[in-house]
């Protein structure tokens, strides 16, 4: 398929969203990952506070996309870059965050006591933790100079920060003792440790970083150096609560247990615990545990062959040789937009970033990075956690910095709900946020800033509502006293088309709400948000409530439990076609498979069985543990708006776990795991669809897994608890893991089809217009017979014919043609190959004075180009057009049908495999430089 997806106009709003929020043109930097080449495709940067800078960037590797967020921190005592001024003391400190149980990182950061004259500016998640038990961290922790907890066994790896603010990677061990009545001294084997030692004494205090304690045996309460109470064993899972302040709970195991049992109330018992740095050196005042060393003494470590070296979301911390500069990094993973990193690759990344030492912290769904916006106190999530939300974690690292004066020295100006773009005569609301000299928040000023457009070009009201008069750039300014701010706004051409994003909304029940935005397009396909104040809405108010959401879009709320309808949105004062949003509320079952064709399902351990009623599908895993699989005779398409899949399961109480495997729009696999079957008879389970994946989904197979008796899991996210509905008991299975499944349906709200215009683009022309161009070329599928194709003989002679296969790049009469013959998928090396070739061609075309246009030619290859590559290619081509004034065409050869359109000034033409498409060209013409005579019926490409 063409990279701009000309045959799928429904995809364009997503591409435009990526384009409009994209940062500056991507860098040409390339570097290796595990020996493979990759290119950086986008980068943004902003100063968080003096001494703290956030860098966010995307990379395209041969086999994955990567999204990386990095906090570059100059610690207290180091020269601060950016807003702090070179050579200034940054005053930035890294501190232990959390320690009172599992919580979202943002909640812990909001509660963190930064101290007088300081504020919280950023945070990352911390240590690995006992995810299936108490939730306590597994490594050591020190906060404000006090030992909070130790590693579960021996010394634990940690990142630490000393009293001067300098950071390093170190190993922290416990130096502790228990002095018993009579003076006998025993070593303390654990202090607030997540996993009590199998031998010796362990102590727990009010600093225990979780709720319930991981101990159920006998215990002794100590207060003021004496035994206050002797506690009997408790029955699991009724674990003991955290000790009260001033109380120490002492436990023992192995040979120490009899000594504990001999203690009585009033006995003198002293417990001492302090951390020691293995290998010597000063003790840190703050430390958070981690696991694998990534960089040691300037050498990146090789973790190949280790169990945790798979590609995954990652969090890491690294330090410069002198410890004055820290890098706090997250790498997104388990998502189409970012595939994650291995430990080995992460170590190489940290080394490239200048780390002399670096440590891996907890990753997976825990990986989270927060940072403050200029002028705001609250932190925002900068990365994309793989769970789709912040996972509750026990601890983290928080960065604090000096607070400013609270007096405004500048304004951060941004548009409400979108990019800094506007249409002539329509409103674009700008928001001005004041900030002080240290980029911190300013209390609500007594008066709002005054707005102005120094260069003219329209007007702006006192609330920041900009109405531009004509296309072209304008600069909006805000001023309040000596504080100033400015923003350049690009004013597009007049609106010619309006589209709602999304254009279909399905709600599950009355009172549920969802959001949509109206996106306008000018004649060149450039897009911008159209705000609610410029829109008239027509809808059934008895069924729906539609309101301005305050962020440039609309919120739809269902007012009745079951309904379907539409919202029609018309731009005030415009004659362009209105946009529509199809609405529905209430879930119903959409059948996917009734299993009557169970004999045609293929896989290991799959066979027809008794259904509910009729025929069902039996899944029997191998004896001793394993997985049975069953693929349907054809892929099962899930409706786009479906919320969950529902499946009947007849179990045998064997613990077998059923699951459904899906692929999303990009071909990425997702697995919906059901509950372990602990019942007999038929039950219906609901499996929620993954919120982070891109619909439409396709069911590729059903599975049933019986775990091996020796199989264990460590630190994995438990599957979402599915809804289970019991039915009347049915015949049980074999008792060895065999399950029967039946009635696979999708729970889906009702919505209709959105009506759109025909979108005929002006490049679609008559034979006379094509012949009037200085020269022409033809496009036809390889092996086509021109003599019998539509269009043959109707036009003047063509200079050549393109088939989209096997021809090298060439220049003809002012047009540089770039054939991209690769049909390999983006993440199978095709994306890196195509983007590398495109960048080289753009650089060459920009330098050639005799070249007025670039034409990218590629074969039709469905699913070869993913959405992120499509958006990147569009952005590269649009930036080339804006920077050079030269023209751009993307030409897809061998498509099922003709289509033509434009997005951001980039023309797209899909030439069908049947017939001959003739294109007249003039690379230096005023206005459109192409005229196209299609080979068949005209359909829009989506840009117009």
């Amino acid at each position: 398929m063409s990279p701009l997806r000309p045959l799928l106009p429904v995809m364009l709003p997503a591409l435009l969203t990526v384009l409009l929020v994209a940062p500056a043109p991507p860098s040409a930097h390339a570097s290796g990952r595990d020996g493979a080449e990759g290119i950086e495709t986008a980068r943004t940067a902003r100063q968080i506070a003096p001494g703290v800078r956030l860098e966010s960037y995307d990379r395209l590797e041969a086999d994955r996309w990567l999204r990386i967020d990095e906090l570059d921190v100059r610690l207290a005592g180091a020269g601060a870059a950016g807003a702090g001024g070179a050579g200034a003391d940054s005053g930035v400190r890294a501190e232990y965050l959390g320690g009172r149980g599992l919580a979202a990182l943002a909640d812990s950061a909001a509660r963190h006591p930064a101290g007088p004259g300081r504020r919280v500016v950023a945070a990352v998640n911390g240590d690995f933790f006992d995810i299936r038990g108490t939730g306590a961290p597994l490594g050591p922790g020190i906060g404000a100079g006090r030992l909070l907890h130790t590693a579960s066994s021996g010394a634990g790896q940690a990142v630490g920060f000393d009293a001067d603010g300098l950071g390093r990677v170190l190993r922290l061990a416990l130096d502790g003792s228990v002095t018993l009545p009579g003076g006998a001294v025993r070593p303390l084997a654990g202090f607030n440790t997540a996993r009590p030692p199998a031998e010796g004494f362990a102590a727990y205090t009010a600093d225990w970083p979780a709720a319930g304690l991981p101990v159920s045996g006998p215990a002794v309460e100590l207060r003021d150096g004496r035994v206050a109470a002797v506690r009997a064993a408790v029955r699991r899972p009724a674990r003991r609560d955290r000790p009260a302040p001033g109380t120490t709970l002492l436990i023992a195991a192995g040979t120490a247990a009899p000594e504990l049992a001999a203690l009585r109330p009033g006995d003198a018992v002293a417990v001492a615990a302090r951390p020691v740095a293995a290998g010597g050196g000063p003790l840190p005042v703050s430390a958070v545990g981690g696991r694998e060393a990534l960089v040691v003494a300037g050498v990146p470590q090789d973790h190949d062959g280790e169990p945790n070296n798979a590609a995954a979301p990652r969090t890491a911390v690294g330090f410069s040789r002198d410890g004055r500069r820290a890098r706090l990094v997250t790498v997104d993973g388990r998502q189409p937009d970012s595939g994650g990193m291995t430990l080995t690759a992460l170590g190489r990344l940290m080394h490239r970033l200048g780390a002399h030492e670096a440590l891996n912290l907890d990753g997976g769904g825990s990986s989270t990075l927060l940072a403050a916006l200029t002028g705001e106190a609250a932190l925002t999530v900068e990365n994309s956690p793989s769970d789709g939300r912040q996972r509750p974690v026990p601890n983290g690292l928080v960065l604090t910095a000096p607070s400013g004066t609270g007096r405004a020295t500048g304004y951060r100006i941004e548009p409400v709900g979108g990019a800094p773009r506007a249409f002539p005569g329509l409103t674009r609301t700008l928001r001005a946020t004041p900030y002080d000299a240290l980029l911190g928040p300013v209390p609500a000023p007594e008066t709002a800033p005054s707005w102005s457009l120094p260069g003219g070009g329209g007007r702006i009201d006192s609330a920041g509502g900009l109405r531009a008069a004509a296309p072209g750039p304008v600069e909006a300014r805000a001023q309040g006293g000596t504080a100033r701010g400015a923003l350049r706004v690009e004013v597009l051409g007049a609106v010619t088309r309006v589209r709602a994003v999304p254009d279909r909304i399905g709600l599950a029940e009355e009172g549920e709400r969802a959001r949509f935005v109206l996106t306008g397009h000018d004649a060149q396909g450039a897009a911008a948000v159209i705000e609610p104040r410029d829109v008239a809405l027509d809808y059934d108010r008895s069924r729906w409530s539609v309101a301005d959401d305050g962020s440039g879009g609309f919120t739809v709320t269902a007012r009745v439990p079951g309904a379907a309808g539409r919202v029609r949105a018309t731009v005030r004062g415009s004659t362009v076609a209105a946009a529509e949003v199809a609405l529905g509320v209430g879930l119903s079952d959409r059948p996917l498979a009734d299993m009557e064709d169970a004999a045609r399902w293929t896989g290991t351990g799959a066979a027809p069985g008794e259904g509910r009623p009729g025929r069902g599908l039996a899944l029997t895993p191998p004896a001793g543990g394993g997985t049975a699989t069953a693929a349907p005779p054809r892929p099962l398409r899930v409706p786009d708006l479906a919320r969950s899949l529902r499946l009947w399961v007849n179990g045998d109480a064997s613990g077998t776990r059923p699951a459904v495997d899906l692929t999303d729009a990009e071909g990425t696999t997702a697995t919906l795991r059901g509950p372990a079957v602990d019942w007999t008879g038929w039950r219906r389970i609901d499996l929620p669809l993954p919120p982070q994946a891109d619909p439409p989904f396709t069911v590729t197979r059903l599975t049933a897994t019986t775990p091996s008796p020796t199989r264990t899991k460590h630190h994995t996210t438990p599957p979402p608890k599915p809804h289970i509905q019991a039915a009347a008991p049915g015949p049980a299975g074999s008792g060895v893991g065999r399950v029967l499944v039946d009635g696979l349906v999708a729970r889906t709200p009702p919505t209709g089809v959105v009506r759109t215009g025909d979108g005929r683009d002006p490049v679609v022309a008559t034979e006379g217009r094509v012949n009037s161009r200085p020269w022409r070329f033809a496009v036809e599928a390889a092996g086509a017979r021109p003599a019998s194709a539509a269009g043959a003989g109707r036009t003047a002679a063509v200079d050549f014919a393109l088939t989209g296969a096997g021809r090298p790049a060439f220049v003809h009469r002012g047009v540089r043609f770039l054939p991209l013959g690769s049909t390999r998928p983006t993440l199978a090396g095709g994306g890196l190959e195509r983007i590398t070739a495109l960048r080289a061609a753009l650089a060459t075309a920009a330098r050639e004075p005799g070249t007025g246009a670039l034409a990218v030619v590629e074969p039709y290859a469905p699913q070869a180009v993913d959405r992120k590559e499509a958006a990147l290619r569009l952005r590269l081509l649009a930036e080339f057009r804006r920077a050079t004034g030269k023209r751009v065409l993307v030409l897809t050869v061998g498509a099922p049908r003709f289509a033509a359109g434009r997005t951001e000034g980039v023309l797209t033409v899909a030439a069908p495999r049947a017939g001959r498409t003739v294109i007249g060209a003039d690379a230096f013409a005023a206005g459109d430089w192409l005229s196209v005579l299609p080979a068949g019926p005209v359909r829009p490409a989506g840009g117009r």
Side-chain angles (χ1 to χ4, degrees), residues 623-727:
T627 300
T629 65
R634 61 188 177 282
L636 305 176
R637 168 72 180 266
V638 179
D640 291 359
L641 300 181
R643 297 295 189 87
S644 66
L645 300 185
R646 175 172 284 184
L647 181 68
W648 283 100
V649 178
N650 187 0
D652 61 357
S654 62
T656 298
R657 188 181 296 275
V660 179
D661 285 351
L662 310 168
T663 57
D664 66 8
E666 303 297 343
T668 302
T669 300
T671 299
L672 310 183
R673 303 188 189 281
V677 176
D678 58 2
W679 66 85
T680 60
W682 287 102
R683 290 191 183 182
R684 186 162 58 181
I685 61 174
D686 278 334
L687 306 173
L689 290 167
Q692 290 294 92
D694 294 322
F697 298 107
T698 301
V699 175
T700 56
R701 68 175 186 171
L702 305 183
T703 67
T705 302
T706 300
S708 167
T710 59
R711 184 179 301 171
T712 60
K713 295 184 179 180
H714 175 66
H715 200 117
T716 57
T717 305
K721 186 175 181 180
H723 173 73
I724 302 175
Q725 177 180 339

Side-chain angles (χ1 to χ4, degrees), residues 96-122:
Y96 185 97
L97 175 65
R100 302 299 291 179
L102 297 177
L105 194 68
D107 294 337
S108 295
R111 293 192 297 263
H112 183 74
R118 301 187 64 79
R119 66 186 182 99
V120 170
V121 297

